[in-house]
Amino acid sequence: MCGIVGCVLKDDDAAPVLLDSISKLEYRGYDSIGIATATGNTINLKKGAGKIAEVDAELDLADLPGNCGIAHVRWATHGDPSEINSHPHLDENNAIAVVHNGIIENYLAIKEELEKEGHEFKSDTDTEVIPHLLEKFVDEGCDLELALRKTIDIIHGAYAIAAISIKEPNKVVATRKDSPLIVGVGEKEYFVASDFPAILKYTNNIIYLEEGEIVTLTGDGITIKDSEDNILDKEVDVIDWSPEMAQKEGYDHFMIKEIHEQDIAIKNTLAEREIVKKIVDEIKDDINRVAFVACGTSYHASLTGKYLIETLAGIPTEVLLASEFKYSQKSLNDKTLVIFITQSGETADTLKALDVANETSKTLAIVNVAGSSATRKAQYVIQTQAGPEIGVAATKTYVSQLASIYLFAALLADNKELLEKLDKVPDYINEVLENEDKIKDISRKYRFARDFFYIGRGYSYPIALEGALKLKEITYIHGEGYAAGELKHGPIALIDDGIPVVAILPPGDDHKKTMSNLEEVQARGADVLGIGSYGDEDLITKAQDTFLINSEVDDIIAPLVYIVPLQILSYYVAVARDLDPDKPKNLAKCVTVE
Ligand code: F6R
C-alpha cells in the first residue's frame, strides 16, 4: 500500500539509488512512481502514472541532480492513478516535496482551511495537504523538522511521511504513525524506507522508528527525536536478510521463485521450536479458549489452526476476520489467547484488532517481518522464517505461517507424532516441485475458464479456499472454495458442462465422502482436477486430470503440501493469460488502510 524511500548520500547522486531502492518496493504499489531531489534553489521532480519500467523509459528517472531525495510508488486511495496525483507532492512555491504512505483522515477540513488562507491545490490526494502545511510552518520561521512536528499535531490517520526542502538541501526528515518506516544506517548513505528490501543492497543496519518519532538524515548521519524533542540513542539492529533474497535469481517471477523456496521456508520456521515451546509452556495452563484473527491468506492459515487446536488440544477455537473483529470481540477475557496471523505485521485491520485484544486477553502474533508493528504490539511473538516475500500473492509466507501454527498446536497438545510428520514436509514439497511441469501442462487446458470451483473437507477445506483465492488474485478468473459437503446445498446449481472443479483428496477418513461429491459434480458436467495421492486408484480412474502427491501426506498435514500444486496452477494460468503474477491489478502487498 504505497512504498516510500528517502536517502542522503555522502558522495553520490541520490536519484539512481532512489530508483533502485524504490524498484524493490514495487510490490507495495504500482500505479505510479515519482522521485524528487533537492538542490540549491530547486526541487528536481520526475513522476508519472504506470509501472516503474514504463515511466522510467519515458522520463529517465535516475537523471536528477543532488545527493538527497525521496521516492514513492503508489497504490491509489484518494484520486485516480495519474501524473497529477502521483507523489512526490509539492507546496505552492515548489520548495518542499513530500512522499506519504497511508491516509490522512481529516484532509478535507485541513484543505478547506488552507484554501481560505490562499493555498491552491493541484491534486485529488489527501497527501497534498502535507507540503502545504509544511510550507505554512516554514513561512512562520520553523525549520523543516519543526514544521513536520507541527504538521503531525494537526493531521489524523495513518502515515509514513518523508520530506525535503530547498532551504535545507542536504536533509530528509521523516516520521510515521500506524504505517511502517525503517531507518537504514549505511557507511556513506542514510535511508528511510517502508520495508527492508529497499535498502538491503546498501546496508543491513536498521533502526525501528516508533510512532511520533522524527528522524533527520543529513550527510553527517542520523538524528532521531521523540515527541518531546529529546534526541534518542536508539539501538541499531542487524537484519540477516541478504540482497539476493529480494532478487529473482533466474526465475521469471518472484512468485515462482518463492513457491520454490517453500521447503526451506518451512525448515527454517520449524527450527524455531524452542522459542515456540517457551511460549506454549508459559501460557498453556492459563488459557481455556483461542481466537485467531487475520485477513486474506492469513485467515486461511488461521482456519487450519482452528481444526488443529480443537482436534489435538481440545481447546475451543474461533477464527475472526480482522476487519470484522470489533463486531464480535465482546466475549474475550484473560483466559483467551488471541493469535494474530500476519506476514507483513502491518495490516491495518489486524493491528486495530490487536490493540483491542491487548486490553483483555493474551496476544500472540505470528509474523514474517521482524520489527514490524505487530511484533511490537503483541505480548508474544513467533517469527516465521520465510525471508522477504516480494510477489504480491502470499505463498511461502503462507506455508510458513502454517508451519508455525502446526508447531504451536503440536507442542500445546504434546503430540510427538505430528512433530515427526512435520519434519518430513520439506521433502514432500520438493517432490511436488519436481513435478511442476505436470501442473504447467494442465494449466494450459484451463487458461480460458471463466469460473473454477475448489472443494475439500476438514483440513482440506481451507486448502480449497486458499487455492481459489490464489486463482482470483493473479489470474482474474472467478474461483470459489467450498466445503465439499456444502456444495449440494446451493452452489451445485452453478456447475455446468466443462466447469473446472479442483477436488482436494488426501488420504484420510473422509476420502470416500469427498469422492461422492466429486461424482456429484461430474454427473453435472464438471471437469475434475483431482489432487490426491499415489495409489489412489479410485481418483485416478474417475477424475479427468490428477496431480499425485506422496501417500504419506495424510489429511492432517495436507494443508502444508497440497496447496503447492494449486499455487503453481494459478501461477501458470496467469502466465498463459499473459498477466504479471507478481503485480496483480488492484492489489498491494501490505494493506495499511482499514
Ligand atoms: C493473498 C494475500 C492477502 C494477505 C492479507 C493479509 O495472497 O497476500 O490476502 O494475506 O492482505 O496480509 P498480512 O498477512 O500481511 O496481514
Side-chain angles (χ1 to χ4, degrees), residues 64-348:
L64 290 170
N67 47 12
C68 119
I70 51 180
H72 187 272
V73 279
R74 179 163 185 254
W75 186 88
T77 55
H78 294 78
D80 60 357
S82 63
E83 191 208 327
I84 206 82
N85 287 334
S86 48
H87 301 217
H89 288 283
L90 304 182
D91 71 324
E92 202 118 29
N93 305 319
N94 295 345
I96 293 170
V98 168
V99 287
H100 161 230
N101 167 29
I103 287 188
I104 309 301
E105 285 161 3
N106 56 341
Y107 83 101
L108 279 175
I110 298 172
K111 194 169 170 177
E112 221 176 275
E113 220 30 60
L114 287 166
E115 277 172 339
K116 276 189 209 148
E117 292 170 23
H119 291 255
E120 278 180 30
F121 289 81
K122 298 188 189 82
S123 76
D124 305 320
T125 65
D126 52 340
T127 302
E128 203 184 349
V129 298
I130 302 171
H132 284 264
L133 284 171
L134 291 172
E135 173 193 357
K136 175 179 151 140
F137 294 125
V138 167
D139 285 350
E140 286 171 13
C142 301
D143 63 11
L144 192 59
E145 186 190 311
L146 185 58
L148 183 59
R149 185 165 304 292
K150 290 190 173 217
T151 297
I152 61 176
D153 283 346
I154 293 176
I155 56 177
H156 301 156
Y159 49 79
I161 300 168
I164 53 174
S165 159
I166 58 170
K167 286 201 181 152
E168 297 164 71
N170 208 16
K171 186 182 277 185
V172 173
V173 297
T175 190
R176 67 171 282 268
K177 177 178 168 281
D178 291 338
S179 276
L181 194 69
I182 51 163
V183 180
V185 192
E187 281 186 13
K188 292 183 168 181
E189 56 280 286
Y190 307 107
F191 289 94
V192 286
S194 304
D195 202 354
F196 302 123
I199 59 175
L200 283 176
K201 186 167 153 190
Y202 306 96
T203 182
N204 284 52
N205 298 330
I206 305 293
I207 300 175
Y208 299 111
L209 205 61
E210 296 299 333
E211 308 216 332
E213 291 176 353
I214 293 188
V215 58
T216 301
L217 318 179
T218 67
D220 298 326
I222 281 165
T223 315
I224 299 177
K225 290 187 184 165
D226 66 11
S227 53
E228 318 277 75
D229 220 28
N230 303 308
I231 295 185
L232 303 172
D233 184 14
K234 295 196 56 140
E235 205 176 307
V236 178
D237 266 29
V238 181
I239 53 156
D240 60 1
W241 288 0
S242 67
E244 293 73 38
M245 284 166 120
Q247 276 156 24
K248 285 190 205 146
E249 293 182 313
Y251 286 93
D252 288 340
H253 299 99
F254 280 109
M255 183 175 177
I256 193 69
K257 174 188 175 231
E258 287 158 2
I259 287 172
H260 276 262
E261 288 170 346
Q262 295 189 109
D263 56 336
I264 189 79
I266 289 186
K267 206 182 233 164
N268 291 343
T269 301
L270 292 175
E272 300 287 289
R273 184 160 159 173
E274 280 315 306
I275 295 173
V276 181
K277 178 144 183 13
K278 209 166 150 235
I279 297 173
V280 168
D281 289 346
E282 237 174 85
I283 58 172
K284 71 171 180 245
D285 296 330
D286 216 16
I287 56 170
N288 58 18
R289 186 171 158 220
V290 173
F292 281 93
V293 180
C295 309
T297 288
S298 303
Y299 176 79
H300 298 154
S302 305
L303 288 174
T304 308
K306 171 182 165 70
Y307 287 105
L308 282 168
I309 292 178
E310 287 192 334
T311 315
L312 303 181
I315 302 176
T317 301
E318 64 192 310
V319 185
L320 301 167
L321 286 168
S323 55
E324 292 289 309
F325 177 77
K326 69 173 172 212
Y327 312 110
S328 58
Q329 101 277 358
K330 294 282 185 291
S331 64
L332 303 184
N333 58 39
D334 61 351
K335 294 271 179 213
T336 315
L337 172 69
V338 191
I339 306 182
F340 292 84
I341 310 289
T342 166
Q343 64 81 20
S344 63
E346 300 292 351
T347 302

Side-chain angles (χ1 to χ4, degrees), residues 576-594:
R577 288 163 72 94
D578 211 13
L579 300 169
D580 180 351
D582 284 345
K583 300 188 196 86
K585 71 172 166 41
N586 305 341
L587 301 184
K589 185 81 190 151
C590 176
V591 186
T592 51
V593 291
E594 281 178 83

